[in-house]
Amino acid sequence: MNTAVRRTATVVLSGGLLLTASPLAAPAAAATPIPSISAKGAFMVDQADGKAIYGKANTTRRQMASTTKVTTAIVVLTTPGVDLNRKVTIKQEYRDYVVRNGASTADLRTGDKLTVRQLLSAMMLPSGSDAAYALADTFGTGTTTAARTKSFISKMNAKAKQLGLTNTMYDSFDGISAAGYNYTTPPELAKMARHAFSSAVFRDIVKATSYKTTATTSTGATRTYTWYNTNKLLGSYSGAVGIKTGTGTAAGPCLVFAATRGTKTYVGVVLNAPDRFNDAAKLLDFGFGSTTASTMELRSLPSGAQRD
């Protein structure tokens, strides 16, 4: 590789687009073309050292929809002494919340007992807001459900503060925000995702295209749950290993993504991205110096599976 390619390059284009290519972002023969993407905001980093590979509209705050659940998950997983086998009983109010908000759901049944680990999969794969509610209710503090979920959201904001995220705010445990105070910027969401991806349990959860498990019902019977991952980049882009979709009226289609090839892992974000999966593939190609996006065929979700 010649020295011109090995040096880190920073290119500023019209419209304030900042692109930063790492020394390993381009193939040896020639620099990979800077991708054109549909996303209004985007960012991608090297998981190993946090080096920026690509950025677009880096300082613009945007709603992030269900990619919020990345933070919900890592707040749970970094709770001191967390017991992933702890059983949680599903309340009717979790189901009512989903119906009331038209939210994506893991179709958790009232009275069923699921472990924290199962609830994390129920939240991250089919984007179950019922599972997010259950986790917030379980890991918050207070004497009422409202107090506990409010407490949990405070923990999410404390996590953002801990990471130095000054343009990130949560008013929701799942991304449904009536007031709109649930926002981030592409670099800050990428930093949160990189932090979450450092957890082996988190990585194991978000890489699965589907998850089948059983739970005990209120009558002592066994119920089988099967959840499909709404992230269609998995099983479509070579090396894709996560992370989370999100879609909202204000947020538009969003995606937090990750892929590993050899010893290199990239973590990225696209916000308000009509063509989010292809956007992610193009950005990953930019990092890996490949052309996978041009031939990628997206994995289909089974009939009846959640979309997010």
Side-chain angles (χ1 to χ4, degrees), residues 16-222:
L17 175 61
L18 173 67
L19 299 171
T20 305
S22 78
L24 298 180
T32 305
I34 295 170
S36 174
I37 61 174
S38 72
K40 290 186 177 178
F43 203 75
M44 190 172 76
V45 299
D46 188 318
Q47 172 66 15
D49 57 15
K51 181 177 291 183
I53 306 301
Y54 178 100
K56 179 180 180 181
N58 292 346
T59 60
T60 302
R61 293 175 175 178
R62 300 184 188 279
Q63 289 203 40
M64 55 191 136
S66 284
T67 63
T68 296
K69 292 166 183 167
V70 170
T71 305
T72 306
I74 199 59
V75 167
V76 169
L77 288 169
T78 54
T79 298
V82 63
D83 179 6
L84 295 178
N85 294 315
R86 176 182 176 181
K87 294 288 184 71
V88 176
T89 301
I90 303 305
K91 299 177 182 179
Q92 180 62 36
E93 59 195 296
Y94 307 157
R95 292 181 60 86
D96 293 343
Y97 172 84
V98 165
V99 172
R100 188 167 62 249
N101 290 282
S104 50
T105 178
D107 197 21
L108 303 179
R109 304 303 178 89
T110 303
D112 283 7
K113 295 177 175 60
L114 287 89
T115 66
V116 170
R117 172 63 176 76
Q118 288 173 319
L119 287 173
L120 287 166
S121 287
M123 177 176 68
M124 297 302 287
L125 273 66
S127 200
S129 286
D130 43 359
Y133 196 159
L135 289 167
D137 190 19
T138 299
F139 285 89
T141 57
T143 57
T144 65
T145 300
R148 287 188 294 273
T149 53
K150 183 178 180 179
S151 163
F152 186 84
I153 293 167
S154 294
K155 292 182 179 183
M156 295 170 69
N157 283 306
K159 172 64 71 175
K161 184 176 181 180
Q162 173 195 336
L163 294 176
L165 309 185
T166 58
N167 286 302
T168 296
M169 175 69 69
Y170 301 102
D171 68 357
S172 163
F173 50 75
D174 63 350
I176 296 175
S177 174
Y181 295 112
N182 200 87
Y183 56 78
T184 190
T185 62
E188 293 199 356
L189 183 51
K191 188 171 183 179
M192 179 66 75
R194 180 172 172 249
H195 171 64
F197 209 67
S198 66
S199 163
V201 175
F202 183 89
R203 292 195 304 273
D204 187 57
I205 289 168
V206 300
K207 73 181 182 182
T209 55
S210 64
Y211 183 76
K212 186 174 182 179
T213 191
T214 58
T216 303
T217 70
S218 58
T219 62
T222 298

